[in-house]
Amino acid sequence: MASKQSTVERILDAAEIEFGAHGFVETSLRTITSKAGVNLAAVNYHFGSKKGLIQAVADRFFEPLSAGMMTRLQELNQQSLGHHEALVKFYQGMMLELLSIARRNPSRLALFARLLNSAYSQGQGHLRKHLTHQYAPVFMLLMQTMAAHMPSMSHEQFFWRFHHLLGMMIFTLASSESLTDICAAEYDAERSLPEVVQQLVPVLVAAAEAPVEAIDRLV
Amino acid sequence: MASKQSTVERILDAAEIEFGAHGFVETSLRTITSKAGVNLAAVNYHFGSKKGLIQAVADRFFEPLSAGMMTRLQELNQQSLGHHEALVKFYQGMMLELLSIARRNPSRLALFARLLNSAYSQGQGHLRKHLTHQYAPVFMLLMQTMAAHMPSMSHEQFFWRFHHLLGMMIFTLASSESLTDICAAEYDAERSLPEVVQQLVPVLVAAAEAPVEAIDRLV
DNA sequence: TTATGTTTAAAACGTTTGTTTCAAGCTAAC
DNA sequence: GTTAGCTTGAAACAAACGTTTTAAACATAA
């Protein structure tokens, strides 16, 4: 018995790595089962289909993340902080929660972000719907908490600001290798993961607090 | 003669739309040639391969964008502005340049951003290399100009800050539909494209000017 | 041990993919 | 008008994909 893990776990482990590295569409079930050392048919047996596997991989990320975020948000909302302090604590909590994903394996964070990016940009509408239905409560609480401490904004303005902030987080975590490739010659980027993630907090807070109409209209 | 455009142009037009909507991998040449009303073999004849088509589509976006950016950056560098004013002008110029892409067809901007996102997150290393080689001068000047007006940062800090800002732009422009789906119930997002793009400028400036180590270390 | 339900193995299925082939059509120069 | 070179058309190619099938192997309970 060379394999201590079950077939399901070995598939999930291999799928997570391959999906994160090459995206959903460009990763074949044959690659996954081959790297996992299991039979090809095992995926369809245990997960029903490739879509089912994708959702299972995503759930393994989101379940602990969702739980941690939920308690963190509830704690934050019980305290009565000023808006700025609340935003700082909010983003710090988010980053810490994200870092907990990467505790065992540092590259898991990039995998997670790329997975999220694929869910939104690649044709994976089923994943998007699955996630938004499955984790709607955390998502709602997250947006409400965030909006509560950005009081000068209208719903519309907050919507787009949220959009910008989410993009910054996802893209940063997702594609650090690509940018490292480009700039490696001129700018060395050798910081550890916690440092990089940490650097995001003040940027996120500043972006969240940026004035809405401070700049003249362009057109 | 129902077709005024040439075969090459019709392929590029159709490919641009399909690639932007569904990504590179999930768009087949048969779909493109079918929508373009041309023969399947025409793609391989005129562009050599699917990769060649992808690069041609990208070039049609980047060539005018690159030219416009170059003159805009040179103009900006000739003026002697304060750092804040320079950053504002810088991002305003960038947004105006991006908007010029969408002048004829507003959805072209989302297509462009999704295309860029695909180039970085999907397994399209060839596109990344092609673009960075083809448009290296603009890219260099862009980073130098940006760095010049963020003087308090080290190379390493600037590298990551640049990373964050780029992510915010690309993600914002790329996936507005996805977030609109999610939040449509609670937050109506009906702003016009110029307004959305314009809202990005103060956020980008604030994020660029955010203090580096203003917040205590987390770990 | 026998019987039952679950998991794995190997092979094949039907599609779809990018690419190639080769003949037919077209355009322009001589 | 004929020839040469570029472009298009329809068909076929080999490879890769997700999925299904059928039988063997396994575990567990009676």
Side-chain angles (χ1 to χ4, degrees), chain A residues 152-167:
Chain A
S152 64
M153 281 181 214
S154 70
H155 275 188
E156 211 168 319
Q157 288 164 346
F158 171 76
F159 169 83
W160 286 111
R161 195 61 65 97
F162 175 77
H163 198 169
H164 304 332
L165 295 168
L166 194 70

Side-chain angles (χ1 to χ4, degrees), chain B:
Chain B
M1 299 287 177
S3 63
K4 287 162 66 179
Q5 297 178 60
S6 70
T7 303
V8 171
E9 283 172 335
R10 300 176 67 177
I11 292 176
L12 285 174
D13 286 344
E16 179 179 300
I17 294 172
E18 294 302 313
F19 283 154
H22 310 110
F24 299 127
V25 201
E26 288 187 305
T27 302
S28 71
L29 294 183
R30 282 172 175 82
T31 309
I32 293 172
T33 52
S34 157
K35 300 232 174 187
V38 303
N39 190 269
L40 170 61
V43 170
N44 285 281
Y45 176 76
H46 287 286
F47 300 97
S49 64
K50 189 179 183 180
K51 287 186 182 180
L53 173 60
I54 291 174
Q55 295 184 3
V57 169
D59 278 330
R60 208 169 57 153
F61 276 109
F62 271 90
E63 260 165 30
L65 187 71
S66 161
M69 286 284 260
M70 190 58 113
T71 65
R72 223 178 262 274
L73 286 170
Q74 286 167 342
E75 281 175 18
L76 181 65
N77 285 335
Q78 280 173 0
Q79 301 171 11
S80 57
L81 299 168
H83 292 320
H84 178 76
E85 291 77 19
L87 282 180
V88 171
K89 254 197 151 39
F90 172 80
Y91 286 115
Q92 279 184 333
M94 245 181 130
M95 292 300 119
L96 283 175
E97 211 55 56
L98 286 173
L99 280 177
S100 75
I101 287 182
R103 207 166 33 172
R104 293 186 187 180
N105 182 0
S107 67
R108 275 199 87 201
L109 190 51
L111 298 187
F112 170 69
R114 296 186 68 139
L115 195 142
L116 234 169
N117 192 30
S118 291
Y120 280 87
S121 61
Q122 232 163 324
Q124 299 292 337
H126 70 96
L127 219 194
R128 226 171 51 205
K129 286 171 189 166
H130 172 74
L131 293 178
T132 50
H133 278 73
Q134 198 79 6
Y135 305 99
V138 201
F139 195 77
M140 291 280 187
L141 185 56
L142 188 146
M143 290 195 74
Q144 282 168 8
T145 305
M146 220 170 131
H149 295 105
M150 294 158 77
S152 63
M153 282 181 213
S154 70
H155 275 187
E156 211 168 320
Q157 288 163 346
F158 171 75
F159 169 81
W160 287 110
R161 195 59 65 95
F162 175 75
H163 198 169
H164 304 331
L165 295 169
L166 194 69
M168 185 150 53
M169 283 187 278
I170 292 182
F171 192 89
T172 296
L173 304 176
S175 62
S176 47
E177 315 94 12
S178 294
L179 279 185
T180 309
D181 283 356
I182 298 173
C183 310
E186 237 179 317
Y187 302 89
D188 277 334
E190 282 298 329
R191 294 218 166 197
S192 70
L193 185 65
E195 283 180 285
V196 171
V197 172
Q198 200 164 291
Q199 289 221 3
L200 245 174
V201 175
V203 185
L204 286 166
V205 173
E209 292 176 335
V212 180
E213 293 286 356
I215 290 166
D216 292 342
R217 305 184 67 80
L218 300 170
V219 278

Side-chain angles (χ1 to χ4, degrees), chain A residues 174-191:
Chain A
S175 62
S176 47
E177 316 93 13
S178 294
L179 278 185
T180 309
D181 284 356
I182 298 172
C183 310
E186 239 179 315
Y187 301 89
D188 278 332
E190 281 298 330
R191 295 217 163 197

Side-chain angles (χ1 to χ4, degrees), chain A residues 7 30 39 41 45-46:
Chain A
T7 303
R30 282 171 174 83
N39 190 270
Y45 176 75
H46 287 288

